[in-house]
């Protein structure tokens, strides 16, 4: 049931006795500099939910809706993990393909020393070039995966392209470029500063 609030009309004498106060204007939602840069480059990506704080996962989803992807290519996958003995490793799959008909994926496995020094693990040719899934699974057997970062290149319609990095399901870096490179949006997640987006236009 709807409730109705009755209007109270003041007499001119009573009204004149009241202080002349004005209601403050409604507080506007603050807009981040990063969101302003998103709109400066790509006004098509306007979304009020991103105004206060840009979310890169949401921004990528919005860009995918506005600009249709015709081809998505994995450029690199980097898995940082601890093996069963708690030794740290990097497993890197890099796309070296120059022809769609002849895919070439190169595998690198690095041992990460306590001081951060990286040492490449010797691999056979069958392990190194176009490795089968069971080879990759063998390295990750009984491991604890700390991060799993994918880097993609998306080719879209009308000359638009994008690159992005995703750690598990969260997008941590997103770049969108217009046709003829006349406008370019670059966004990344910085540990100290949060999400930073910059716009470059020619």
């Amino acid at each position: 049931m709807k409730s109705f609030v009755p209007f109270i009309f003041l007499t001119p004498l009573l009204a004149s006795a009241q202080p002349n106060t004005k209601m403050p204007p409604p507080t506007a939602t603050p807009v981040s500099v990063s969101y302003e840069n998103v709109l400066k480059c790509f006004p098509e990506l306007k979304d009020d939910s991103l105004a206060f704080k840009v979310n890169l996962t949401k921004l990528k989803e919005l860009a995918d809706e506005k600009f249709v992807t015709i081809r998505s290519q994995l450029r690199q996958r980097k898995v940082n993990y601890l093996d069963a003995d708690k030794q740290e490793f990097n497993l890197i799959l890099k796309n070296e393909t120059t022809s769609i008909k002849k895919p070439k994926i190169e595998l690198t496995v690095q041992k990460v020393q306590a001081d951060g020094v990286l040492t490449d693990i010797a691999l056979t040719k069958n392990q190194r070039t176009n490795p089968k899934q069971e080879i990759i699974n063998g390295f990750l057997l009984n491991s604890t995966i700390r991060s799993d970062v994918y880097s993609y290149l998306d080719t879209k319609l009308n000359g638009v392209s994008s690159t992005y990095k995703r750690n598990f399901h969260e997008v941590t870096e997103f770049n969108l470029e217009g046709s003829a490179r006349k406008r370019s949006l670059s966004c990344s997640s910085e540990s100290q500063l949060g999400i930073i987006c910059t716009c470059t236009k020619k």
Side-chain angles (χ1 to χ4, degrees):
M1 178 180 294
K2 296 183 179 179
S3 59
F4 295 93
V5 178
F7 289 100
I8 301 175
F9 293 95
L10 300 177
T11 64
L13 179 61
L14 185 58
S16 62
Q18 301 301 313
N20 185 19
T21 58
K22 294 183 179 180
M23 293 295 293
T27 304
T29 302
V31 176
S32 69
V33 175
S34 287
Y35 183 63
E36 289 178 344
N37 286 330
V38 169
L39 298 185
K40 186 185 300 182
C41 257
F42 291 91
E44 302 96 324
L45 302 181
K46 177 178 172 58
D47 188 317
D48 292 341
S49 67
L50 301 174
F52 179 67
K53 182 180 180 181
V54 175
N55 180 292
L56 296 186
T57 304
K58 172 68 175 177
L59 182 63
K60 179 195 172 299
E61 292 173 354
L62 186 61
D64 288 343
E65 292 176 4
K66 300 294 182 179
F67 306 104
V68 178
T69 301
I70 56 178
R71 186 163 68 94
S72 185
Q73 181 181 10
L74 175 67
R75 300 197 302 176
Q76 180 176 290
R77 180 187 180 190
K78 181 178 179 180
V79 182
N80 177 264
Y81 66 97
L82 300 178
D83 68 3
D85 298 322
K86 304 304 179 183
Q87 173 61 55
E88 184 178 358
F89 288 88
N90 290 325
L91 183 149
I92 302 171
L93 293 164
K94 191 171 183 179
N95 192 337
E96 303 283 0
T97 302
T98 55
S99 170
I100 298 177
K101 295 181 180 180
K102 295 182 179 180
K104 184 181 180 183
I105 304 296
E106 290 290 329
L107 171 64
T108 302
V109 179
Q110 301 170 329
K111 185 176 182 179
V112 184
Q113 306 290 354
D115 57 3
V117 175
L118 303 176
T119 304
D120 287 355
I121 304 300
L123 302 176
T124 66
K125 183 178 180 181
N126 286 339
Q127 290 176 317
R128 187 174 62 253
T129 304
N130 292 335
K132 294 181 179 179
Q133 188 63 49
E134 52 261 34
I135 292 176
I136 298 171
N137 292 345
F139 284 106
L140 300 177
L141 185 65
N142 297 324
S143 68
T144 301
I145 297 178
R146 304 172 70 187
S147 65
D148 191 358
V149 179
Y150 292 80
S151 299
Y152 279 92
L153 167 64
D154 284 358
T155 302
K156 299 177 177 292
L157 295 176
N158 301 323
V160 177
S161 64
S162 73
T163 59
Y164 66 94
K165 288 184 180 180
R166 190 185 73 217
N167 185 15
F168 295 111
H169 297 293
E170 181 183 0
V171 176
T172 58
E173 183 178 305
F174 179 72
N175 305 291
L176 190 63
E177 195 168 86
S179 59
R181 299 183 178 180
K182 291 184 178 180
R183 52 178 178 165
S184 179
L185 175 69
S186 178
C187 298
S188 61
S189 177
E190 306 293 339
S191 57
Q192 299 296 325
L193 302 175
I195 304 299
I196 302 297
C197 292
T198 57
C199 171
T200 303
K201 299 178 78 174
K202 295 181 180 180

